Amino acid sequence: IQSGPASWYGPGFQGRKTASGETFNTNDMTAAHRTLPFGTKVKVVNKKTGKSVVVRINDRGPYAHGRVIDLSKASAQAIGISGVASVSLAQL
């Protein structure tokens, strides 16, 4: 459905409320997207490594210019992202 740069977020957000109203846990397989409905499952593929992860949208963002998705730390680590990486998204 979309491709572009992805990053991760977590420091300073652990335990705070997400836009969906649930508590953010950086160890959950979740992500922030600007428009997809909360609860949507998305397969995120790191174009460099080929690794993929399925995340659930529970927050809004990313707010950094040009990024398509912000992953929780756990989901970013699962596909080898430590900063910003090019990804493709597929809605499940």
Side-chain angles (χ1 to χ4, degrees):
I1 60 169
Q2 200 172 12
S3 61
S7 56
W8 65 275
Y9 73 119
F13 291 96
Q14 179 68 25
R16 292 175 53 186
K17 292 282 185 208
T18 64
S20 67
E22 65 185 84
T23 302
F24 179 74
N25 183 344
T26 194
N27 298 309
D28 288 344
M29 296 300 184
T30 57
H33 191 274
R34 285 187 192 93
T35 58
L36 289 173
F38 295 133
T40 301
K41 300 254 182 170
V42 177
K43 181 178 180 181
V44 182
V45 180
N46 182 334
K47 289 183 175 182
K48 184 176 182 182
T49 65
K51 291 182 179 180
S52 67
V53 66
V54 175
V55 298
R56 182 176 50 84
I57 303 300
N58 73 336
D59 207 358
R60 290 292 173 231
Y63 297 105
H65 181 70
R67 308 246 173 99
V68 295
I69 197 165
D70 263 347
L71 303 169
S72 67
K73 185 175 183 181
S75 54
Q77 286 178 333
I79 59 172
I81 296 176
S82 59
V84 178
S86 183
V87 299
S88 62
L89 309 179
Q91 187 172 339
L92 300 178

Coordinates of all heavy atoms in Angstrom, one line a residue:
I1 N 0.8 -1.2 0.0 CA 0.0 0.0 0.0 C 0.8 1.3 0.0 O 0.4 2.3 -0.4 CB -1.0 0.0 1.2 CG1 -0.2 0.0 2.5 CG2 -2.0 -1.0 1.1 CD1 -1.1 0.3 3.7
Q2 N 2.1 1.1 0.5 CA 2.9 2.3 0.6 C 4.4 1.9 0.8 O 4.7 0.8 1.3 CB 2.5 3.1 1.9 CG 2.9 4.5 1.9 CD 2.2 5.2 3.1 OE1 1.6 4.6 4.0 NE2 2.2 6.5 3.2
S3 N 5.3 2.8 0.4 CA 6.7 2.5 0.7 C 7.4 3.8 1.0 O 6.9 4.9 0.5 CB 7.4 1.7 -0.4 OG 7.4 2.5 -1.6
G4 N 8.5 3.8 1.7 CA 9.3 5.0 2.0 C 10.1 4.7 3.3 O 10.2 3.6 3.8
P5 N 10.6 5.8 3.8 CA 11.4 5.7 5.0 C 10.6 5.4 6.3 O 9.5 5.9 6.5 CB 12.1 7.1 5.2 CG 11.5 8.0 4.2 CD 10.5 7.2 3.3
A6 N 11.1 4.6 7.1 CA 10.5 4.3 8.4 C 11.5 4.5 9.5 O 12.8 4.4 9.3 CB 10.1 2.8 8.5
S7 N 11.0 4.8 10.7 CA 11.9 5.0 11.9 C 11.2 4.3 13.0 O 10.1 3.8 12.9 CB 12.1 6.5 12.1 OG 10.9 7.2 12.3
W8 N 11.8 4.4 14.2 CA 11.2 3.8 15.4 C 11.1 4.9 16.5 O 11.8 5.9 16.4 CB 12.0 2.6 15.9 CG 13.4 2.9 16.4 CD1 14.5 3.0 15.6 CD2 13.8 3.1 17.7 NE1 15.6 3.2 16.4 CE2 15.2 3.4 17.7 CE3 13.1 3.2 18.9 CZ2 15.9 3.6 18.8 CZ3 13.9 3.5 20.1 CH2 15.2 3.7 20.0
Y9 N 10.2 4.7 17.4 CA 10.1 5.6 18.5 C 9.9 4.8 19.8 O 9.5 3.7 19.7 CB 9.0 6.6 18.2 CG 7.6 6.1 18.3 CD1 6.7 6.7 19.3 CD2 7.1 5.2 17.5 CE1 5.4 6.2 19.4 CE2 5.7 4.7 17.6 CZ 4.9 5.3 18.5 OH 3.6 4.8 18.6
G10 N 10.1 5.4 20.9 CA 10.0 4.7 22.1 C 10.5 5.5 23.3 O 9.8 5.7 24.3
P11 N 11.8 6.0 23.2 CA 12.3 6.7 24.4 C 11.4 7.9 24.7 O 11.1 8.7 23.8 CB 13.7 7.2 23.9 CG 14.1 6.3 22.8 CD 12.7 5.9 22.1
G12 N 11.0 8.0 25.9 CA 10.1 9.1 26.4 C 8.7 8.8 26.2 O 7.8 9.6 26.7
F13 N 8.3 7.8 25.4 CA 6.9 7.5 25.2 C 6.4 6.3 26.0 O 5.2 6.1 26.1 CB 6.6 7.2 23.7 CG 6.8 8.4 22.8 CD1 8.0 8.7 22.2 CD2 5.7 9.3 22.7 CE1 8.1 9.9 21.4 CE2 5.9 10.5 21.9 CZ 7.1 10.7 21.3
Q14 N 7.3 5.5 26.5 CA 6.9 4.3 27.3 C 6.0 4.6 28.4 O 6.2 5.5 29.2 CB 8.2 3.6 27.9 CG 8.0 2.4 28.7 CD 7.5 1.2 27.9 OE1 7.7 1.1 26.7 NE2 6.7 0.3 28.5
G15 N 4.8 3.9 28.4 CA 3.8 4.1 29.4 C 2.9 5.3 29.2 O 1.9 5.4 29.9
R16 N 3.1 6.1 28.1 CA 2.2 7.2 27.8 C 1.0 6.7 27.0 O 1.1 5.6 26.3 CB 2.9 8.3 27.1 CG 3.9 9.0 28.0 CD 4.8 10.0 27.3 NE 4.0 11.0 26.6 CZ 4.6 12.0 25.8 NH1 5.9 12.0 25.7 NH2 3.8 12.8 25.2
K17 N 0.0 7.4 26.9 CA -1.2 7.1 26.1 C -0.9 7.3 24.6 O -0.3 8.3 24.3 CB -2.4 7.9 26.5 CG -2.9 7.5 27.9 CD -3.8 6.3 27.9 CE -4.4 6.0 29.2 NZ -4.6 4.6 29.5
T18 N -1.3 6.4 23.8 CA -1.2 6.5 22.3 C -2.5 7.3 21.9 O -3.4 7.4 22.6 CB -1.1 5.2 21.6 OG1 -2.3 4.5 21.8 CG2 0.1 4.4 22.1
A19 N -2.5 7.6 20.6 CA -3.7 8.3 20.0 C -5.0 7.4 20.1 O -6.1 7.9 20.1 CB -3.4 8.7 18.6
S20 N -4.8 6.1 20.1 CA -5.9 5.1 20.2 C -6.4 5.0 21.7 O -7.4 4.4 21.9 CB -5.5 3.8 19.7 OG -4.5 3.2 20.5
G21 N -5.7 5.5 22.6 CA -6.1 5.5 24.0 C -5.4 4.4 24.8 O -5.5 4.4 26.0
E22 N -4.7 3.5 24.1 CA -4.0 2.5 24.9 C -2.6 3.0 25.4 O -2.1 4.0 24.9 CB -3.9 1.2 24.1 CG -3.0 1.2 22.9 CD -3.1 -0.1 22.1 OE1 -4.0 -0.3 21.3 OE2 -2.2 -0.9 22.3
T23 N -2.0 2.2 26.3 CA -0.7 2.6 26.8 C 0.3 2.1 25.9 O 0.3 0.9 25.5 CB -0.6 2.0 28.3 OG1 -1.6 2.5 29.1 CG2 0.8 2.4 28.9
F24 N 1.3 3.0 25.6 CA 2.4 2.6 24.7 C 3.4 1.7 25.4 O 3.8 2.0 26.5 CB 3.1 3.9 24.2 CG 4.3 3.5 23.3 CD1 4.1 3.1 22.0 CD2 5.6 3.6 23.7 CE1 5.1 2.8 21.1 CE2 6.7 3.3 22.9 CZ 6.4 2.9 21.6
N25 N 3.7 0.6 24.7 CA 4.8 -0.3 25.2 C 5.7 -0.5 24.1 O 5.4 -1.1 23.1 CB 4.1 -1.6 25.7 CG 5.2 -2.6 26.3 OD1 6.4 -2.4 26.1 ND2 4.7 -3.6 27.0
T26 N 6.9 -0.1 24.3 CA 8.0 -0.2 23.2 C 8.3 -1.6 22.9 O 8.9 -1.9 21.9 CB 9.2 0.7 23.6 OG1 10.0 0.8 22.5 CG2 10.0 0.0 24.7
N27 N 7.9 -2.6 23.7 CA 8.2 -4.0 23.5 C 7.1 -4.7 22.7 O 7.2 -5.9 22.4 CB 8.4 -4.7 24.8 CG 9.6 -4.1 25.5 OD1 10.7 -4.0 24.9 ND2 9.5 -3.8 26.8
D28 N 6.0 -4.0 22.4 CA 4.9 -4.6 21.6 C 5.2 -4.4 20.1 O 5.9 -3.4 19.7 CB 3.5 -3.9 22.0 CG 3.0 -4.3 23.3 OD1 3.5 -5.3 23.9 OD2 2.1 -3.5 23.8
M29 N 4.6 -5.2 19.3 CA 4.7 -5.1 17.9 C 3.6 -4.1 17.4 O 2.6 -4.6 16.8 CB 4.6 -6.5 17.2 CG 5.7 -7.4 17.6 SD 7.3 -6.7 17.1 CE 8.3 -8.1 17.6
T30 N 3.9 -2.8 17.6 CA 2.9 -1.8 17.2 C 3.6 -0.7 16.4 O 4.8 -0.7 16.3 CB 2.2 -1.2 18.4 OG1 3.3 -0.7 19.3 CG2 1.4 -2.2 19.2
A31 N 2.8 0.2 15.8 CA 3.3 1.3 15.0 C 2.4 2.4 14.9 O 1.2 2.3 15.2 CB 3.6 0.7 13.6
A32 N 2.9 3.6 14.5 CA 2.1 4.8 14.3 C 2.1 5.0 12.8 O 3.1 4.9 12.1 CB 2.8 6.0 15.0
H33 N 0.9 5.3 12.3 CA 0.6 5.7 10.9 C -0.3 6.9 10.9 O -1.2 7.0 11.7 CB 0.1 4.5 10.2 CG 0.0 4.7 8.7 ND1 -1.0 5.3 8.0 CD2 0.9 4.3 7.7 CE1 -0.7 5.3 6.7 NE2 0.4 4.7 6.5
R34 N -0.2 7.7 9.9 CA -1.0 8.9 9.8 C -2.5 8.7 9.6 O -3.3 9.3 10.1 CB -0.5 9.8 8.7 CG 0.8 10.6 9.1 CD 1.2 11.6 8.0 NE 2.5 12.1 8.2 CZ 3.6 11.6 7.7 NH1 3.5 10.5 6.8 NH2 4.8 12.1 7.9
T35 N -2.8 7.7 8.7 CA -4.2 7.5 8.3 C -4.8 6.2 8.5 O -6.1 6.1 8.5 CB -4.3 7.9 6.8 OG1 -3.5 7.0 6.0 CG2 -3.9 9.4 6.5
L36 N -4.1 5.1 8.6 CA -4.7 3.8 8.7 C -5.5 3.7 10.0 O -5.1 4.2 11.0 CB -3.6 2.7 8.7 CG -3.0 2.4 7.3 CD1 -1.8 1.5 7.5 CD2 -4.0 1.9 6.3
P37 N -6.6 3.0 9.9 CA -7.5 2.9 11.2 C -6.7 2.1 12.3 O -5.9 1.2 12.0 CB -8.7 2.0 10.7 CG -8.7 2.2 9.2 CD -7.3 2.4 8.8
F38 N -7.0 2.5 13.5 CA -6.4 1.8 14.7 C -6.8 0.3 14.6 O -7.9 0.0 14.2 CB -6.9 2.4 16.0 CG -6.4 3.8 16.2 CD1 -7.3 4.8 16.6 CD2 -5.1 4.2 16.0 CE1 -6.9 6.1 16.8 CE2 -4.7 5.5 16.1 CZ -5.6 6.5 16.5
G39 N -5.9 -0.5 14.9 CA -6.2 -2.0 14.9 C -5.8 -2.6 13.6 O -5.7 -3.9 13.5
T40 N -5.5 -1.8 12.6 CA -5.1 -2.4 11.3 C -3.8 -3.1 11.4 O -2.8 -2.6 12.0 CB -4.9 -1.3 10.2 OG1 -6.2 -0.6 10.1 CG2 -4.5 -1.8 8.9
K41 N -3.7 -4.3 10.8 CA -2.4 -5.1 10.8 C -1.7 -4.8 9.5 O -2.3 -4.8 8.4 CB -2.7 -6.6 10.9 CG -3.5 -7.0 12.2 CD -2.6 -7.6 13.2 CE -3.4 -8.0 14.4 NZ -2.7 -8.8 15.3
V42 N -0.4 -4.5 9.7 CA 0.4 -4.1 8.5 C 1.7 -4.9 8.5 O 2.3 -5.1 9.5 CB 0.8 -2.6 8.6 CG1 1.7 -2.2 7.4 CG2 -0.5 -1.8 8.6
K43 N 2.0 -5.5 7.3 CA 3.3 -6.2 7.2 C 4.3 -5.2 6.7 O 4.1 -4.5 5.7 CB 3.2 -7.3 6.2 CG 4.5 -8.1 6.0 CD 4.3 -9.2 5.0 CE 5.6 -10.0 4.8 NZ 5.4 -11.1 3.8
V44 N 5.4 -5.0 7.5 CA 6.4 -4.0 7.2 C 7.7 -4.8 6.7 O 8.2 -5.7 7.5 CB 6.8 -3.2 8.4 CG1 7.8 -2.1 8.0 CG2 5.5 -2.5 8.9
V45 N 8.2 -4.5 5.5 CA 9.4 -5.2 5.0 C 10.5 -4.2 4.9 O 10.4 -3.2 4.2 CB 9.1 -5.9 3.6 CG1 10.3 -6.6 3.1 CG2 7.9 -6.8 3.7
N46 N 11.6 -4.5 5.5 CA 12.9 -3.8 5.4 C 13.5 -4.1 4.0 O 13.8 -5.2 3.8 CB 13.8 -4.1 6.5 CG 15.1 -3.3 6.5 OD1 15.5 -2.8 5.4 ND2 15.8 -3.2 7.6
K47 N 13.5 -3.1 3.1 CA 14.0 -3.4 1.8 C 15.4 -3.8 1.7 O 15.8 -4.5 0.8 CB 13.7 -2.1 0.9 CG 12.2 -1.9 0.6 CD 12.1 -0.7 -0.3 CE 10.6 -0.5 -0.7 NZ 10.4 0.6 -1.7
K48 N 16.2 -3.4 2.7 CA 17.6 -3.7 2.7 C 17.9 -5.2 3.1 O 18.7 -5.9 2.5 CB 18.4 -2.7 3.5 CG 19.9 -2.9 3.5 CD 20.6 -1.9 4.3 CE 22.1 -2.1 4.3 NZ 22.8 -1.1 5.1
T49 N 17.2 -5.6 4.2 CA 17.5 -6.9 4.7 C 16.5 -8.0 4.3 O 16.8 -9.1 4.4 CB 17.4 -6.9 6.3 OG1 16.0 -6.6 6.7 CG2 18.3 -5.8 6.9
G50 N 15.3 -7.5 3.8 CA 14.3 -8.5 3.4 C 13.5 -9.0 4.5 O 12.5 -9.8 4.3
K51 N 13.8 -8.6 5.7 CA 13.1 -9.1 6.9 C 11.8 -8.4 7.0 O 11.6 -7.2 6.6 CB 13.9 -8.9 8.2 CG 15.2 -9.7 8.3 CD 15.9 -9.4 9.6 CE 17.1 -10.3 9.8 NZ 17.8 -10.0 11.1
S52 N 10.8 -9.1 7.6 CA 9.5 -8.5 7.7 C 8.9 -8.7 9.1 O 9.3 -9.6 9.8 CB 8.5 -9.1 6.7 OG 8.2 -10.4 7.0
V53 N 8.0 -7.9 9.5 CA 7.3 -8.0 10.8 C 5.8 -7.5 10.6 O 5.6 -6.7 9.7 CB 8.0 -7.1 11.9 CG1 7.9 -5.6 11.6 CG2 7.5 -7.4 13.3
V54 N 4.9 -8.1 11.3 CA 3.5 -7.7 11.3 C 3.3 -6.8 12.5 O 3.6 -7.3 13.7 CB 2.5 -8.9 11.3 CG1 1.1 -8.4 11.4 CG2 2.7 -9.7 10.0
V55 N 2.8 -5.6 12.3 CA 2.5 -4.7 13.4 C 1.1 -4.3 13.4 O 0.4 -4.4 12.4 CB 3.4 -3.4 13.3 CG1 4.9 -3.8 13.4 CG2 3.1 -2.6 12.1
R56 N 0.6 -3.8 14.5 CA -0.8 -3.3 14.7 C -0.7 -1.8 14.9 O 0.1 -1.3 15.7 CB -1.4 -4.0 15.9 CG -2.9 -3.6 16.1 CD -3.5 -4.4 17.3 NE -2.6 -4.3 18.5 CZ -2.6 -3.4 19.4 NH1 -3.4 -2.3 19.2 NH2 -1.8 -3.4 20.4
I57 N -1.5 -1.1 14.1 CA -1.5 0.4 14.2 C -2.3 0.8 15.5 O -3.4 0.4 15.6 CB -2.2 1.0 12.9 CG1 -1.4 0.6 11.7 CG2 -2.2 2.6 13.1 CD1 0.0 1.0 11.6
N58 N -1.6 1.5 16.3 CA -2.3 2.0 17.6 C -2.0 3.5 17.9 O -2.3 3.9 19.0 CB -1.9 1.1 18.8 CG -0.5 1.3 19.2 OD1 0.4 1.8 18.5 ND2 -0.2 1.0 20.5
D59 N -1.3 4.2 17.0 CA -0.9 5.5 17.3 C -0.9 6.3 15.9 O -0.9 5.7 14.9 CB 0.5 5.6 17.9 CG 0.6 6.8 18.8 OD1 -0.3 7.7 18.9 OD2 1.7 6.9 19.5
R60 N -0.8 7.6 16.1 CA -0.7 8.5 14.9 C 0.7 9.0 14.8 O 1.4 9.2 15.8 CB -1.7 9.7 15.0 CG -3.1 9.3 14.9 CD -3.4 8.8 13.4 NE -4.7 8.3 13.3 CZ -5.0 7.1 12.8 NH1 -4.1 6.3 12.3 NH2 -6.3 6.7 12.7
G61 N 1.1 9.3 13.6 CA 2.5 9.7 13.3 C 2.9 9.0 12.0 O 2.0 8.4 11.4
P62 N 4.1 9.1 11.6 CA 5.2 9.8 12.2 C 5.1 11.3 11.9 O 4.4 11.7 10.9 CB 6.4 9.2 11.5 CG 5.9 8.7 10.2 CD 4.5 8.3 10.4
Y63 N 5.7 12.1 12.7 CA 5.7 13.5 12.5 C 7.0 14.0 11.9 O 7.1 15.2 11.5 CB 5.4 14.2 13.8 CG 4.0 13.8 14.3 CD1 3.8 13.0 15.4 CD2 2.9 14.3 13.7 CE1 2.6 12.6 15.8 CE2 1.6 14.0 14.1 CZ 1.5 13.1 15.1 OH 0.2 12.7 15.6
A64 N 8.0 13.2 11.7 CA 9.2 13.6 10.9 C 8.8 13.6 9.5 O 8.2 12.7 8.9 CB 10.3 12.6 11.2
H65 N 9.3 14.6 8.8 CA 8.9 14.8 7.4 C 9.3 13.7 6.5 O 10.5 13.2 6.5 CB 9.6 16.1 6.8 CG 9.3 16.4 5.4 ND1 8.1 16.8 5.0 CD2 10.1 16.3 4.3 CE1 8.1 17.0 3.7 NE2 9.3 16.7 3.2
G66 N 8.4 13.2 5.7 CA 8.7 12.2 4.7 C 8.6 10.8 5.1 O 8.6 9.8 4.3
R67 N 8.5 10.5 6.4 CA 8.4 9.1 6.9 C 7.0 8.6 6.7 O 6.0 9.3 6.8 CB 8.8 9.1 8.4 CG 10.1 9.8 8.7 CD 11.2 8.8 9.1 NE 12.5 9.5 9.2 CZ 13.0 10.0 10.3 NH1 12.4 9.8 11.5 NH2 14.1 10.6 10.3
V68 N 6.9 7.3 6.5 CA 5.6 6.7 6.2 C 5.1 5.9 7.4 O 3.9 5.7 7.6 CB 5.6 5.7 5.0 CG1 5.9 6.5 3.7 CG2 6.6 4.6 5.2
I69 N 6.0 5.5 8.4 CA 5.5 4.7 9.5 C 6.6 4.9 10.6 O 7.8 5.0 10.3 CB 5.3 3.2 9.2 CG1 4.5 2.6 10.3 CG2 6.6 2.5 8.9 CD1 3.9 1.2 9.9
D70 N 6.1 4.9 11.9 CA 7.0 4.9 13.0 C 6.7 3.6 13.8 O 5.6 3.3 14.2 CB 6.7 6.0 14.0 CG 7.6 7.2 13.8 OD1 8.6 7.1 13.2 OD2 7.2 8.3 14.4
L71 N 7.8 2.8 13.9 CA 7.7 1.5 14.6 C 8.0 1.5 16.0 O 8.9 2.4 16.4 CB 8.6 0.5 13.9 CG 8.4 0.3 12.4 CD1 9.6 -0.5 11.8 CD2 7.1 -0.4 12.1
S72 N 7.5 0.6 16.8 CA 7.9 0.5 18.2 C 9.4 -0.1 18.1 O 9.8 -0.6 17.1 CB 7.1 -0.5 19.0 OG 7.2 -1.8 18.4
K73 N 10.1 0.1 19.2 CA 11.5 -0.4 19.2 C 11.6 -1.9 18.9 O 12.4 -2.3 18.1 CB 12.2 -0.1 20.6 CG 13.6 -0.4 20.6 CD 14.3 0.0 21.9 CE 15.8 -0.3 21.8 NZ 16.4 0.1 23.1
A74 N 10.7 -2.7 19.5 CA 10.7 -4.1 19.3 C 10.5 -4.5 17.8 O 11.2 -5.3 17.3 CB 9.7 -4.8 20.2
S75 N 9.5 -3.8 17.2 CA 9.2 -4.2 15.8 C 10.3 -3.7 14.9 O 10.7 -4.4 13.9 CB 7.9 -3.6 15.4 OG 7.7 -2.3 15.6
A76 N 11.0 -2.6 15.2 CA 12.1 -2.1 14.4 C 13.3 -3.0 14.5 O 13.9 -3.4 13.5 CB 12.5 -0.7 14.8
Q77 N 13.6 -3.5 15.7 CA 14.7 -4.4 15.9 C 14.4 -5.7 15.2 O 15.4 -6.3 14.7 CB 14.9 -4.7 17.4 CG 15.5 -3.5 18.1 CD 15.7 -3.7 19.6 OE1 15.0 -4.5 20.2 NE2 16.7 -3.0 20.2
A78 N 13.2 -6.2 15.2 CA 12.8 -7.4 14.5 C 13.2 -7.5 13.0 O 13.5 -8.5 12.5 CB 11.4 -7.7 14.7
I79 N 13.2 -6.3 12.4 CA 13.6 -6.2 11.0 C 14.9 -5.5 10.7 O 15.2 -5.2 9.6 CB 12.4 -5.7 10.1 CG1 12.0 -4.3 10.5 CG2 11.2 -6.6 10.2 CD1 11.0 -3.6 9.6
G80 N 15.7 -5.3 11.8 CA 17.0 -4.7 11.6 C 17.1 -3.2 11.4 O 18.0 -2.7 10.7
I81 N 16.1 -2.5 11.9 CA 16.2 -1.0 11.8 C 16.7 -0.4 13.1 O 16.1 -0.6 14.2 CB 14.8 -0.4 11.5 CG1 14.3 -0.9 10.1 CG2 14.8 1.1 11.5 CD1 12.9 -0.5 9.7
S82 N 17.8 0.4 13.0 CA 18.3 1.0 14.2 C 18.2 2.6 14.1 O 18.3 3.3 15.1 CB 19.7 0.6 14.5 OG 20.5 0.9 13.4
G83 N 17.9 3.0 12.9 CA 17.7 4.5 12.7 C 16.6 4.7 11.7 O 15.4 4.5 12.1
V84 N 16.9 5.0 10.5 CA 15.9 5.2 9.4 C 16.2 4.2 8.3 O 17.4 4.0 8.0 CB 15.8 6.6 8.9 CG1 14.8 6.7 7.7 CG2 15.6 7.6 10.0
A85 N 15.2 3.5 7.8 CA 15.4 2.5 6.7 C 14.2 2.6 5.7 O 13.1 3.0 6.1 CB 15.5 1.1 7.3
S86 N 14.5 2.2 4.5 CA 13.5 2.1 3.5 C 12.6 0.8 3.7 O 13.2 -0.3 3.8 CB 14.1 2.1 2.1 OG 13.1 2.1 1.1
V87 N 11.3 1.0 3.7 CA 10.4 -0.1 3.9 C 9.3 -0.1 2.9 O 9.0 0.9 2.3 CB 9.8 -0.1 5.3 CG1 10.9 -0.2 6.4 CG2 8.9 1.1 5.6
S88 N 8.6 -1.3 2.8 CA 7.3 -1.3 2.1 C 6.3 -1.8 3.1 O 6.6 -2.6 3.9 CB 7.4 -2.2 0.9 OG 7.7 -3.5 1.2
L89 N 5.1 -1.3 2.9 CA 4.0 -1.7 3.8 C 2.9 -2.4 3.0 O 2.6 -2.0 1.9 CB 3.3 -0.4 4.4 CG 4.2 0.6 5.1 CD1 3.4 1.8 5.6 CD2 5.0 0.0 6.2
A90 N 2.3 -3.4 3.6 CA 1.2 -4.1 3.0 C 0.1 -4.3 4.1 O 0.4 -4.9 5.2 CB 1.6 -5.5 2.5
Q91 N -1.1 -3.9 3.8 CA -2.2 -4.0 4.8 C -2.6 -5.5 4.7 O -2.8 -6.1 3.7 CB -3.3 -3.1 4.4 CG -4.4 -3.1 5.4 CD -5.4 -2.0 5.2 OE1 -5.1 -1.0 4.4 NE2 -6.6 -2.1 5.7
L92 N -2.8 -6.1 5.9 CA -3.3 -7.5 6.0 C -4.8 -7.5 6.3 O -5.4 -6.6 6.8 CB -2.5 -8.2 7.1 CG -1.0 -8.2 6.8 CD1 -0.3 -9.0 8.0 CD2 -0.7 -8.9 5.5

